[in-house]
Amino acid sequence: MGLETVSPSGRLLAVASVAAWGLGAVLGWDELVLLGVTGVLLLVLASAMTLGHGSVRVAVEITRRRLQPDDSTRCLVEVEHQGRRSLFAPEVELPIGRDRVEVFDRGREVEITGLRRGVIAVGPATTVRGDPLGLLRRTVPMTEVVEVFVHPLTVPLEPLGTGLLRDMEGRTTDDISMSDLAFHALREYVPGDDRRHIHWRSTAKLAQDGRFLVRQYLDSRRAHLVVVVDGQSYSDDQVFETALSAGASVVKRAAADEIDTTVVAAGHVCGKGRAQHVLDVFARAEQGGPVLAEAATRAVAAAPDATLVVLITSAQHSYADLRVAAAAFPPEVRKVVLRVDPSAHTRRAASTAFSVLTLRQLNDLPALLSGGTLQ
């Protein structure tokens, strides 16, 4: 039992009891000695009531762990007292975010409401042993911490574009291959070529002296979307929330289109994975972290095979800043910059290096990205 078990009133009683006992013994005052002995006995009795492990099993179950703002979920806490019930059976407390819920007897069902974007820690559920006077208090964790993710608000979007969806066709590159789907040209057969790629009709028409012509292809690769949300350039929290909502909307649409996605949101990185797990990054994001150019560099390291990148930031970045961030990606990667600016009109602008989209409010995003803007 450590000092953290003793409450401030318990510490005060301990000091006062020892002082009264000692002072009474020196001065010969029996009344002070009696007060000191009484205080010590109270502490001993409180310690006896606090000791012991108890036979309690606690289970916490949450109906939904991934929500949107203003949604609600239920938390069921089951308490099972094993063996004989004691008069001083421990209480059970469950932290939910910054709140603390007391659980009595066999359990309790708690409704978690009024949620805002973020991560809410539920638990650990603890048993609390103490005395009626509150002199000592000992807690023992009984469960693990369970995280509830509140994702940003999202809006439904149209498919991100035929060029991204048709992964069977892929996105062609300039790399020559002997086995792919993007036909490029014919060339003469050389030893080691796969005979299955011989183009017999062209060989019969064009080749002479017994030479063969084989098909040659351009490499194609699976579409891979990268979404980068800046975390340092926002004038207020609402602009930052709009940026996160825009990024989450794009990621959610990409998941429906079965496009591989990597997210870098205010310093948090999540590679390819299930859509819900990728959206968890937006729940964890807070203002701060690396600047836009550094976030883009992290995205390149996390997704070297990216085919499309969406950089989401505020209007405070200059065109030069955007160009530096976009330059972190290879030239063949398609780049789109989405600037959140509540004071401007929603519009599109094109440049030689990347497209620039200005978003006034989240509800404008579907129209802004319609017509294959990200294609």
Side-chain angles (χ1 to χ4, degrees):
M1 185 183 301
L3 288 177
E4 67 277 2
T5 305
V6 185
S7 67
S9 58
R11 297 178 187 180
L12 178 61
L13 177 61
V15 173
S17 299
V18 172
W21 195 342
L23 186 61
V26 171
L27 299 179
W29 291 4
D30 295 337
E31 292 82 358
L32 286 179
V33 174
L34 181 60
L35 287 175
V37 171
T38 302
V40 172
L41 288 176
L42 285 175
L43 289 173
V44 171
L45 290 175
S47 300
M49 298 172 64
T50 306
L51 294 175
H53 298 286
S55 54
V56 179
R57 187 186 67 85
V58 182
V60 177
E61 181 180 353
I62 301 176
T63 55
R64 297 172 58 199
R65 290 186 53 201
R66 289 175 171 83
L67 313 163
Q68 284 203 342
D70 297 329
D71 285 349
S72 63
T73 185
R74 292 182 179 275
C75 176
L76 178 61
V77 186
E78 295 181 349
V79 179
E80 180 183 351
H81 296 271
Q82 301 173 344
R84 296 180 58 185
R85 291 291 300 273
S86 171
L87 179 62
F88 305 107
E91 299 176 355
V92 177
E93 289 186 351
L94 178 67
I96 301 179
R98 297 180 179 179
D99 298 328
R100 188 174 294 271
V101 176
E102 294 183 351
V103 182
F104 302 99
D105 198 16
R106 295 189 176 182
R108 181 178 177 182
E109 186 177 279
V110 181
E111 186 172 3
I112 306 175
T113 59
L115 301 179
R116 300 179 59 185
R117 185 197 62 81
V119 180
I120 301 174
V122 178
T126 58
T127 57
V128 181
R129 284 183 172 273
D131 60 279
L133 298 179
L135 301 177
L136 279 76
R137 175 186 172 91
R138 186 167 69 94
T139 60
V140 178
M142 302 297 293
T143 64
E144 301 291 335
V145 176
V146 179
E147 292 182 325
V148 175
F149 297 92
V150 184
H151 296 156
L153 287 172
T154 58
V155 292
L157 303 177
E158 296 179 0
L160 298 183
T162 305
L164 292 179
L165 289 176
R166 302 303 181 187
D167 285 330
M168 181 171 286
E169 298 175 3
R171 178 172 177 175
T172 59
T173 68
D174 294 331
D175 300 328
I176 303 299
S177 171
M178 289 305 297
S179 178
D180 216 306
L181 297 177
F183 176 75
H184 176 59
L186 294 172
R187 64 168 176 80
E188 290 188 10
Y189 174 87
V190 296
D193 286 342
D194 192 337
R195 294 185 180 182
R196 291 177 298 178
H197 295 301
I198 296 176
H199 197 275
W200 295 103
R201 182 174 298 180
S202 298
T203 298
K205 291 181 178 180
L206 303 177
Q208 299 177 357
D209 302 329
R211 293 177 297 169
F212 297 94
L213 297 178
V214 296
R215 300 181 184 89
Q216 195 172 47
Y217 303 87
L218 288 176
D219 267 338
S220 62
R221 51 180 169 173
R222 182 176 175 85
H224 188 167
L225 171 67
V226 175
V227 177
V228 180
V229 181
D230 177 28
Q232 279 202 6
S233 62
Y234 302 94
S235 56
D236 56 54
D237 293 339
Q238 186 57 45
V239 179
F240 179 60
E241 294 298 326
T242 302
L244 292 175
S245 293
S249 299
V250 173
V251 169
K252 200 170 182 178
R253 180 67 252 186
D257 294 342
E258 298 183 353
I259 300 175
D260 292 336
T261 306
T262 297
V263 175
V264 178
H268 296 276
V269 181
C270 181
K272 301 176 185 179
R274 297 178 58 185
Q276 295 297 325
H277 295 161
V278 176
L279 289 175
D280 291 347
V281 176
F282 294 102
R284 296 187 186 277
E286 297 179 356
Q287 288 202 56
V291 296
L292 181 61
E294 185 180 346
T297 302
R298 292 189 182 185
V300 173
D305 57 342
T307 59
L308 169 66
V309 59
V310 180
L311 301 172
I312 303 178
T313 184
S314 71
Q316 297 188 17
H317 281 298
S318 64
Y319 182 83
D321 297 332
L322 302 179
R323 186 172 53 193
V324 170
F329 296 89
E332 67 271 13
V333 176
R334 171 95 164 99
K335 308 173 187 70
V336 176
V337 175
L338 181 62
R339 305 175 72 187
V340 180
D341 188 358
S343 62
H345 294 290
T346 298
R347 63 181 184 274
R348 307 178 188 177
S351 67
T352 56
F354 47 82
S355 300
V356 180
L357 311 179
T358 301
L359 179 66
R360 185 175 67 89
Q361 59 182 5
L362 181 62
N363 291 335
D364 296 338
L365 186 63
L368 185 63
L369 298 184
S370 63
T373 302
L374 298 184
Q375 190 172 350

